[in-house]
Amino acid sequence: DVLTIPKDDAVAFTFFTGYMAMLAASIFFIFERGRVDDKWKLSLLISALITFIAAVHYYYMRDYYLATGENPTSLRYIDWTLTVPLMCVEFYLLTKAAGAKIGLLWKLIIASVWMLVAGYIGEAFNPEGGDTTHSVLWGFLSTIGYIYVLYTAWFGEVAKLAAASNNPVVKRGVRTLAWFVLVGWAIYPIGYMCMPGGWLNTAFGWGSGNVDLFYNIADAINKIGFGLVVYSIAITSSRK
Amino acid sequence: DVLTIPKDDAVAFTFFTGYMAMLAASIFFIFERGRVDDKWKLSLLISALITFIAAVHYYYMRDYYLATGENPTSLRYIDWTLTVPLMCVEFYLLTKAAGAKIGLLWKLIIASVWMLVAGYIGEAFNPEGGDTTHSVLWGFLSTIGYIYVLYTAWFGEVAKLAAASNNPVVKRGVRTLAWFVLVGWAIYPIGYMCMPGGWLNTAFGWGSGNVDLFYNIADAINKIGFGLVVYSIAITSSRK
Ligand SMILES: CC1=C(/C=C/C(C)=C/C=C/C(C)=C/C=O)C(C)(C)CCC1
Ligand SMILES: CC1=C(/C=C/C(C)=C/C=C/C(C)=C/C=O)C(C)(C)CCC1
């Protein structure tokens, strides 16, 4: 009953490094939180919670994947149900310095919950063997929620508030946030399209193991990477 | 189902002491972090993370080794994938006081990732029974990355910045770092050459169990030993 990781299984490899990286990141954010100014402490705590929640779910996902070789779809969406709204809180906290109201947070949360519910139906209830109609329909509906967040970050409320602000730290933070939503978040739909019936699966024969490969890479970028960006902004602005 | 350690198995012995030493070291670095000046706190946290990550992986590796008697190659490289880049961060933080730019960190990380990827191919995909061509080729490619880090520490950017600095603490730190890369890191390729098809395996008949014996010794020196060196520099310079 010992843990054996096949040497040529990149998905298993990323589940393991993912687990440990999330745990290490949450320890990092918690300890470094003591070194930033008071106004940044909440953001660092949210980063720590996002990575800690993910560490626990990665622990279960890697075992599930090793034992069954299947995508741990339920666990993945259980994780996102908690971490994506927290990510919206993170975005809101950054924008708050430029004058954002609490309503912005709710709009981001509603759009991203819509995105996740549609995505879950698309993945979890994908008919046996995969069906392109099903995955494209629900993927499309999910993408509407994603596009809303993307629009808000680049042209909508978030962008406008940042443009009107004369705080360079806030401007820089919001610009980075917008890039993460554009590039980092876009890796998830690529993963989605690798499931049976998905476009990348039918077109290029990318197997369904790649779903988790992309999700794991994207999670590392968005949960740890974005957390580190917030940390570096916090530590720089605390030094002055 | 109780833990049994064969009395004459040096590899198992080092896996167990390694596990406990890593865990103890991470507790040590976390607590002593509270006693050093603010500018050293990040370095001590990184040391703690390196040893904590290793503790978790040693926990799995020793069980894997006891159950199968084989080298836990995947787990070993999963560990290095996280701890070697963190080690580069540690080097960068030491050199930063002498004026290093963030580009240096990226160069060190890229060189060491190259080293690990080539090493992984050499070890994980070594043909059944061992093949000298395979292990020498990939070992050679891996060594290029190692030599780059070594060169940077002794003659390149790191060495030049230290030479130009008039801070004796930084000078001492960088000199120690260079010695660790030269002596401490060189133990790993010795371990590598003990695998089937490796030079030390074919020439002297050093069995593949020695791979992990050398890796465990080297890990203790580099992860704990180097962490203690940074700690002692930090505590000395905090006293003034
Ligand atoms: C667009 C789209 C998707 C987007 C998922 C995203 C964008 C997830 C983001 C997760 C984050 C940011 C987690 C952070 O902790 C799905 C659901 C795969 C379904 C296919 C269409
Ligand atoms: C040169 C060389 C190697 C070097 C490995 C090293 C140098 C690993 C360092 C690990 C450290 C420093 C961990 C710290 O936490 C390999 C991959 C065995 C393959 C053979 C050639």
Side-chain angles (χ1 to χ4, degrees):
Chain A
D1 216 39
V2 77
L3 211 67
T4 317
I5 308 161
K7 286 175 188 163
D8 56 356
D9 188 337
V11 181
F13 207 98
T14 55
F15 269 126
F16 266 76
T17 42
Y19 163 61
M20 206 55 230
M22 293 293 171
L23 192 55
S26 61
I27 298 172
F28 179 87
F29 293 131
I30 280 293
F31 277 94
E32 284 294 290
R33 179 170 177 270
R35 291 180 61 229
V36 300
D37 280 355
D38 189 73
K39 66 169 184 282
W40 288 106
K41 287 199 197 300
L42 186 53
S43 294
L44 263 76
L45 181 57
I46 302 293
S47 295
L49 290 178
I50 291 174
T51 46
F52 179 70
I53 291 171
V56 175
H57 292 132
Y58 270 72
Y59 177 84
Y60 291 116
M61 286 198 283
R62 54 164 222 204
D63 285 358
Y64 179 90
Y65 175 80
L66 274 190
T68 67
E70 279 166 29
N71 304 118
T73 307
S74 316
L75 282 162
R76 182 69 74 178
Y77 279 85
I78 287 169
D79 180 74
W80 287 346
T81 302
L82 299 170
T83 54
V84 173
L86 284 175
M87 200 66 118
C88 296
V89 173
E90 195 85 313
F91 288 180
Y92 165 68
L93 290 175
L94 262 180
T95 328
K96 215 176 113 183
K101 296 273 167 319
I102 191 82
L104 171 68
L105 174 58
W106 289 114
K107 284 181 235 164
L108 290 177
I109 289 182
I110 290 169
S112 61
V113 168
W114 166 276
M115 173 184 91
L116 294 179
V117 170
Y120 188 69
I121 298 174
E123 274 191 69
F125 305 117
N126 191 23
E128 195 67 48
D131 169 19
T132 306
T133 319
H134 179 89
S135 70
V136 170
L137 171 66
W138 291 102
F140 173 78
L141 291 174
S142 171
T143 303
I144 296 173
Y146 171 46
I147 299 277
Y148 179 85
V149 178
L150 197 58
Y151 178 84
T152 308
W154 280 90
F155 311 104
E157 205 170 329
V158 172
K160 281 180 200 144
L161 285 168
S165 151
N166 40 31
N167 182 337
V169 173
V170 171
K171 275 187 198 291
R172 193 179 127 213
V174 171
R175 210 181 319 119
T176 321
L177 173 171
W179 277 106
F180 268 85
V181 177
L182 183 64
V183 180
W185 286 36
I187 305 169
Y188 295 101
I190 295 177
Y192 179 89
M193 290 186 267
C194 293
M195 71 168 167
W199 280 342
L200 295 172
N201 193 303
T202 24
F204 303 112
W206 293 10
S208 58
N210 291 313
V211 174
D212 283 298
L213 188 63
F214 284 110
Y215 288 172
N216 290 349
I217 292 169
D219 265 1
I221 293 173
N222 293 299
K223 292 176 159 105
I224 304 176
F226 188 67
L228 286 174
V229 166
V230 172
Y231 163 73
S232 99
I233 293 175
I235 207 99
T236 318
S237 91
S238 299
R239 246 185 242 125
K240 291 171 196 153
Chain B
D1 217 39
V2 77
L3 213 65
T4 318
I5 308 163
K7 289 177 187 159
D8 56 355
D9 187 337
V11 181
F13 208 98
T14 56
F15 268 128
F16 268 76
T17 43
Y19 163 61
M20 208 54 230
M22 293 293 171
L23 193 54
S26 60
I27 297 172
F28 178 86
F29 293 131
I30 279 294
F31 277 94
E32 284 294 291
R33 178 171 177 272
R35 292 181 58 229
V36 300
D37 280 355
D38 189 74
K39 65 170 184 281
W40 288 106
K41 287 199 195 300
L42 187 52
S43 294
L44 263 77
L45 182 56
I46 302 293
S47 295
L49 289 179
I50 291 174
T51 48
F52 177 68
I53 290 171
V56 175
H57 291 132
Y58 270 71
Y59 177 85
Y60 291 118
M61 286 198 283
R62 54 164 222 203
D63 286 358
Y64 180 90
Y65 176 80
L66 274 190
T68 66
E70 279 166 28
N71 304 118
T73 308
S74 315
L75 282 162
R76 180 71 73 180
Y77 279 84
I78 285 169
D79 180 74
W80 287 347
T81 302
L82 298 170
T83 53
V84 174
L86 284 176
M87 200 67 118
C88 296
V89 172
E90 194 83 315
F91 288 179
Y92 164 69
L93 290 175
L94 261 181
T95 327
K96 216 177 114 182
K101 295 273 167 320
I102 191 82
L104 171 68
L105 174 58
W106 289 115
K107 284 181 234 164
L108 291 177
I109 290 183
I110 289 168
S112 61
V113 168
W114 165 277
M115 173 184 92
L116 294 179
V117 171
Y120 189 70
I121 298 174
E123 274 191 67
F125 305 116
N126 191 23
E128 194 66 50
D131 169 19
T132 306
T133 319
H134 179 88
S135 69
V136 170
L137 171 66
W138 290 103
F140 172 78
L141 290 174
S142 171
T143 305
I144 295 173
Y146 171 47
I147 299 278
Y148 179 87
V149 178
L150 197 58
Y151 178 85
T152 308
W154 280 90
F155 312 104
E157 206 169 328
V158 171
K160 280 179 201 146
L161 284 168
S165 153
N166 40 31
N167 182 338
V169 174
V170 171
K171 275 187 197 293
R172 193 180 126 211
V174 171
R175 208 179 323 117
T176 320
L177 174 170
W179 277 104
F180 267 85
V181 178
L182 182 66
V183 180
W185 286 36
I187 305 170
Y188 297 101
I190 296 177
Y192 178 90
M193 290 187 267
C194 294
M195 72 168 167
W199 280 342
L200 295 173
N201 192 302
T202 23
F204 305 111
W206 294 9
S208 58
N210 291 313
V211 174
D212 282 298
L213 189 62
F214 284 109
Y215 288 172
N216 290 349
I217 293 169
D219 264 2
I221 293 173
N222 292 298
K223 291 177 160 105
I224 304 177
F226 187 68
L228 286 174
V229 166
V230 172
Y231 164 72
S232 99
I233 293 175
I235 207 97
T236 318
S237 91
S238 299
R239 246 186 241 124
K240 290 168 198 154

